[in-house]
Amino acid sequence: MAEEIEEFVGEDFSDARLPRQHWVRRHYTGCTFRDADLSELRTEHVVFTDCDFTGADLSDGVHTVTAFRSCTFARTTLWHSQFRSSTLMGSTFEQCRMRPVDFDEVDFTLASLGRADLRGIDFTDCRLREANLVEADLRKADLRAVDLHGARTFGLRLEDADLRGAHVDASLWTSAKLTGAKIDLTQAVAMAAANGLVVEQ
């Protein structure tokens, strides 16, 4: 028999001190974790929906098959955390401390990461469909095989990033900063076409 899911709706955990917790099969909806200490938090099969993590400490956490849906991360500390087979769909990140962080098959669809400092982060096999990446800094990031379809990329910094095999829209080739980025031959042709060049053999 499956373990029963614990439900928390509209609860206020602001300023709570909950370090080194291990949460399994819980659902939090509309809860507030403002300025809470959630360092070294381990979650498995947990769902957070419309939760507020403003100012919270989520450092050194491990989140496995966990969903953060439409959550708010403002001035949140996330560094040294791991997210595995999880989703951050529709969540908003503003002035967060994120590096270093480990993302393994994470879904950022519709997430807002504008102006985020994501330098050197490995996003291999992650999904960033329709994400807001305006003026985000992904210099030296690993974006191999990443799905970037529909992402907003104006002013996105991709210098020295690895984009080989990434799925992108033509607009990325004209809106992002790409000096030193690694791309494959198919992408090179698409980039040339997006910039009005004609490639002939």
Side-chain angles (χ1 to χ4, degrees):
M1 181 181 236
E3 184 179 344
E4 185 176 348
I5 295 173
E6 292 185 78
E7 297 271 0
F8 301 85
V9 180
E11 297 200 26
D12 189 351
F13 298 94
S14 296
D15 298 309
R17 295 293 172 258
L18 300 167
R20 296 178 293 280
Q21 296 279 304
H22 184 193
W23 297 349
V24 180
R25 295 181 63 80
R26 294 185 178 188
H27 286 185
Y28 293 86
T29 303
C31 294
T32 299
F33 296 90
R34 295 177 69 93
D35 299 312
D37 180 1
L38 299 171
S39 56
E40 299 182 55
L41 173 64
R42 294 173 57 205
T43 65
E44 298 176 57
H45 299 279
V46 176
V47 177
F48 299 93
T49 304
D50 293 317
C51 293
D52 185 358
F53 293 93
T54 297
D57 183 357
L58 285 162
S59 60
D60 297 289
V62 179
H63 307 286
T64 306
V65 195
T66 288
F68 296 85
R69 297 173 180 159
S70 300
C71 293
T72 299
F73 298 89
R75 303 183 305 281
T76 309
T77 301
L78 294 161
W79 56 20
H80 302 288
S81 289
Q82 301 175 38
F83 295 82
R84 301 168 177 165
S85 301
S86 295
T87 179
L88 293 158
M89 182 180 292
S91 291
T92 301
F93 297 82
E94 183 179 348
Q95 299 179 7
C96 294
R97 297 177 178 178
M98 298 181 71
R99 299 184 305 119
V101 65
D102 182 13
F103 296 124
D104 182 10
E105 295 186 7
V106 174
D107 187 356
F108 291 91
T109 297
L110 296 170
S112 181
L113 292 156
R115 298 186 178 179
D117 183 357
L118 306 169
R119 290 172 294 162
I121 292 176
D122 186 349
F123 287 97
T124 304
D125 294 323
C126 290
R127 181 179 298 173
L128 286 155
R129 289 181 69 92
E130 300 183 65
N132 173 17
L133 298 173
V134 173
E135 297 184 0
D137 191 344
L138 276 83
R139 285 177 289 173
K140 297 185 179 180
D142 193 336
L143 296 160
R144 286 175 293 174
V146 169
D147 186 351
L148 285 157
H149 283 309
R152 295 168 56 195
T153 56
F154 179 78
L156 171 60
R157 301 201 64 175
L158 290 171
E159 295 100 324
D160 299 310
D162 193 341
L163 288 160
R164 290 173 294 179
H167 307 284
V168 307
D169 294 331
S171 59
L172 179 136
W173 305 121
T174 57
S175 62
K177 300 175 182 178
L178 294 156
T179 303
K182 295 179 182 178
I183 60 176
D184 57 37
L185 290 176
T186 300
Q187 292 171 325
V189 172
M191 181 177 181
N195 285 279
L197 302 177
V198 177
V199 179
E200 297 182 351
Q201 291 185 346

